Amino acid sequence: MKTNFTMLGGLSIEEFLRNYWQKKPLLIRQAFPQFNGLLDRLQLFDLACTEDVQSRLVTQRHGQWQMQDGPFKATKFDSLGKSKWTVLVQGVNEHLPTAAALLKNFSFIPHARLDDLMVSYAPKGGGVGAHFDSYDVFLLQGSGHRRWQISAQQDHTLVEGAPLRILQRFQSEQEWVLAPGDMLYLPPHYAHNGIAESDCMTYSIGFRSPSYQELAEQFLVYLQDRVCFDEMYADPDLRTQRHPSEISTHMLRQVEQIIRQIQWTKHDIANFLGGYLSEPKPHIFFDPPTKPLSCARFEQAIQTGGVAMALKTQILCHNDVVFINGMAHAVGKDAYRELRSFADARKLDSNMSLTRETLELLYLWYIDGYVVPIACKHIDK
Ligand code: SIN
Ligand code: CO
């Protein structure tokens, strides 16, 4: 892997992973030297007013916190007066090609861990209060300046009754003012508080860590569709029992034996994980082409211009299985190699010689709106 990665302040990826990732914060001055943001505040407000975009507005008035979920009316942000406020828009990478391109810089972390790019705007004094997140985050400063205060404190008591998670007793241990292009990495559960020093936009590249509880529950949901027992409970040798209200040991044993037959393999775990982690979030809808190209024209188009994943598409791969937006496709070795390159780079270049299996899958996915020939320029959908 590359060393002296500018965005990691001269650290190699290995050094960053060994010494900082999930361990301790890292401030990187000028991680992205020319960076001043990808959209302006009006474009962000537009997104916050859009139906299939997740957004929140946090306001602080006389020390009281309030939170509202979007989508908002277009005039909402003109009427916020003197309160300190922040608007936060999730999944900007699902809507803006430049945001998806920014995320590619973080591909040294597996795609299975990536959540999304959230962008916030706050006027001077705005912020979401001192809190901690349960995921890793890179806080990249766009336009304006933000003061970040951080603390390794173990006291995670939250303000009771507040509509968002605010730490009751935040004790800043270190603080910096971040300028455009500066970036702060924080591991999970590290307390932080960001206050806009001026009109300020911050880009949060967040990485998900599903809780074991969530994984276990979802795995049971996955298994539920795969257990198959033909027979029914039977007790031809039933005996009388003194207390009819008691569940007999005999019944218990029989059911226990059946339940113990529920088994799973590594293959089930991989299948579950690939499906679960590539599943689109509930608000996501795809845009299938209104006048789809024929299969032959599609193949011609990708030969000429290449093919890209739609911005909302997630592909994960494991052992000759390709998971796209929650669905699994078991493929041959060559198709697997081709589709894995596609998933790594989120695109395939023009003039690639691809197997028939890959071409057929790509066409199916094109019809569903999951992939787009680059020449069609619909990848911003
Ligand atoms: C923000 O952008 O205002 C908040 C980001 C965070 O604290 O995680
Ligand atoms: Co945070």
Side-chain angles (χ1 to χ4, degrees):
M1 260 185 218
K2 275 191 224 158
T3 48
N4 283 333
F5 215 34
T6 326
M7 64 173 279
L8 295 175
L11 294 177
S12 70
I13 291 167
E14 288 76 8
E15 281 169 322
F16 171 76
L17 294 179
R18 193 169 53 243
N19 300 327
Y20 295 92
W21 176 252
Q22 297 241 301
K23 298 169 195 74
K24 59 181 182 191
L26 176 67
L27 171 72
I28 308 143
R29 293 284 183 199
Q30 291 306 286
F32 290 83
Q34 309 302 324
F35 191 76
N36 191 35
L38 303 172
L39 69 177
D40 62 27
R41 92 197 156 102
L42 295 180
Q43 289 166 310
L44 190 74
F45 295 169
D46 269 356
L47 279 177
C49 298
T50 307
E51 199 58 50
D52 63 342
V53 175
Q54 279 184 312
S55 58
R56 282 167 296 158
L57 173 67
V58 174
T59 43
Q60 195 193 357
R61 215 184 285 264
H62 312 302
Q64 293 293 310
W65 293 94
Q66 285 185 349
M67 189 169 76
Q68 259 179 286
D69 286 322
F72 300 98
K73 288 207 179 105
T75 50
K76 178 75 189 176
F77 305 103
D78 306 332
S79 60
L80 289 166
K82 289 233 176 299
S83 59
K84 293 175 181 170
W85 59 278
T86 297
V87 62
L88 306 122
V89 178
Q90 295 291 151
V92 173
N93 53 301
E94 291 151 16
H95 304 276
L96 210 69
T98 50
L102 175 69
L103 287 190
K104 284 193 181 171
N105 292 291
F106 296 85
S107 281
F108 59 92
I109 310 288
H111 292 181
R113 291 282 272 111
L114 180 66
D115 190 13
D116 70 346
L117 173 70
M118 177 183 83
V119 182
S120 70
Y121 163 81
K124 185 173 162 53
V128 297
H131 65 283
F132 63 92
D133 299 307
S134 45
Y135 45 78
D136 304 81
V137 66
F138 290 90
L139 298 155
L140 169 62
Q141 189 57 31
S143 56
H145 289 73
R146 183 183 287 274
R147 179 176 301 275
W148 281 108
Q149 303 175 316
I150 66 167
S151 167
Q153 69 188 62
Q154 294 304 306
D155 177 357
H156 285 171
T157 321
L158 300 176
V159 173
E160 268 175 49
L164 65 166
R165 295 150 50 90
I166 308 278
L167 284 167
Q168 221 176 73
R169 293 175 286 273
F170 175 67
Q171 292 194 311
S172 168
E173 291 168 352
Q174 274 179 294
E175 69 172 64
W176 309 274
V177 174
L178 269 66
D182 291 347
M183 185 164 78
L184 175 62
Y185 162 74
L186 292 177
H189 303 118
Y190 216 94
H192 53 287
N193 186 28
I195 308 151
E197 292 270 297
S198 54
D199 257 28
C200 157
M201 291 181 78
T202 300
Y203 291 65
S204 302
I205 296 101
F207 292 85
R208 62 178 158 191
S209 332
S211 69
Y212 288 147
Q213 180 66 27
E214 184 186 333
L215 284 174
E217 283 177 14
Q218 291 305 315
F219 182 61
L220 290 178
V221 173
Y222 165 92
L223 272 190
Q224 169 182 303
D225 297 333
R226 280 155 185 86
V227 286
C228 178
F229 291 100
D230 293 330
E231 287 164 31
M232 293 175 75
Y233 179 81
D235 48 7
D237 47 0
L238 184 67
R239 304 248 173 87
T240 52
Q241 56 185 62
R242 195 197 299 216
H243 299 287
S245 63
E246 266 182 353
I247 295 173
S248 69
T249 344
H250 183 262
M251 181 181 216
L252 208 71
R253 250 191 246 127
Q254 206 183 124
V255 174
E256 188 192 358
Q257 259 176 23
I258 295 300
I259 302 283
R260 277 186 196 282
Q261 285 176 30
I262 302 175
Q263 284 183 348
W264 55 87
T265 59
K266 261 201 185 130
H267 172 79
D268 286 306
I269 309 267
N271 229 16
F272 153 69
L273 207 55
Y276 175 66
L277 294 178
S278 67
E279 184 81 48
K281 292 184 182 152
H283 66 280
I284 287 186
F285 294 95
F286 291 90
D287 307 291
T290 34
K291 283 190 199 148
L293 302 172
S294 68
C295 191
R297 289 284 310 283
F298 170 78
E299 287 179 20
Q300 241 171 31
I302 66 174
Q303 269 305 309
T304 324
V307 60
M309 283 163 58
L311 294 180
K312 295 170 185 166
T313 288
Q314 298 272 10
I315 302 186
L316 296 173
C317 309
H318 181 78
N319 254 357
D320 299 341
V321 183
V322 178
F323 302 92
I324 180 162
N325 299 328
M327 276 168 312
H329 295 270
V331 296
K333 292 253 176 282
D334 291 338
Y336 182 75
R337 264 194 296 275
E338 292 165 357
L339 292 167
R340 189 179 50 192
S341 307
F342 179 49
D344 285 347
R346 296 191 63 93
K347 69 179 174 72
L348 282 175
D349 291 331
S350 54
N351 297 317
M352 300 263 298
S353 89
L354 299 170
T355 55
R356 179 88 338 247
E357 191 176 9
T358 294
L359 286 168
E360 278 169 13
L361 273 178
L362 287 174
Y363 186 66
L364 268 182
W365 297 343
Y366 157 69
I367 296 293
D368 287 336
Y370 295 173
V371 309
V372 194
I374 292 172
C376 282
K377 297 235 187 330
H378 284 155
I379 51 170
D380 53 338
K381 286 212 168 153

